[in-house]
Amino acid sequence: MGLDQKFHQRETDEYPLDLKEEYAKLSDWIQDLTRLYKHRLFIKLIDVQSPLGIYKSLRHWIRKYPTFIVEGQETYTGWDKGRLESLLVKFGLT
């Protein structure tokens, strides 16, 4: 297990700084949302380069990231927590 962690860390270190910062920011957001909304919110991360990610991008016309798909109906792209939370309220997820 220690070898896997070292390999993952070495691999992560190769990413550009801005990408690592966005990853950390998104990770923090997900942790906050999970803590705040516990059992009312189901979060699924999808790799945009996976077949499912490509499908979702085409289906919902997603061109920028991060994008959040709420209840399969509405999307929000960006880093404004307030706008995302208002969308969660709209669908009764808070």
Side-chain angles (χ1 to χ4, degrees), residues 37 70 82-94:
Y37 303 113
V70 180
R83 290 205 42 212
L84 178 59
E85 288 182 352
S86 69
L87 200 54
L88 296 175
V89 167
K90 177 180 176 180
F91 284 95
L93 299 172
T94 59

Side-chain angles (χ1 to χ4, degrees), residues 18-30 64-68 76-85:
D18 61 333
L19 190 58
K20 288 192 284 190
E21 288 172 350
E22 281 191 4
Y23 174 80
K25 188 175 184 178
L26 183 59
S27 179
D28 290 344
W29 248 30
I30 291 170
K64 295 183 180 183
Y65 305 92
T67 295
F68 303 86
Y76 168 68
T77 301
W79 292 105
D80 184 349
K81 280 186 182 181
R83 290 205 42 212
L84 178 59
E85 288 182 352

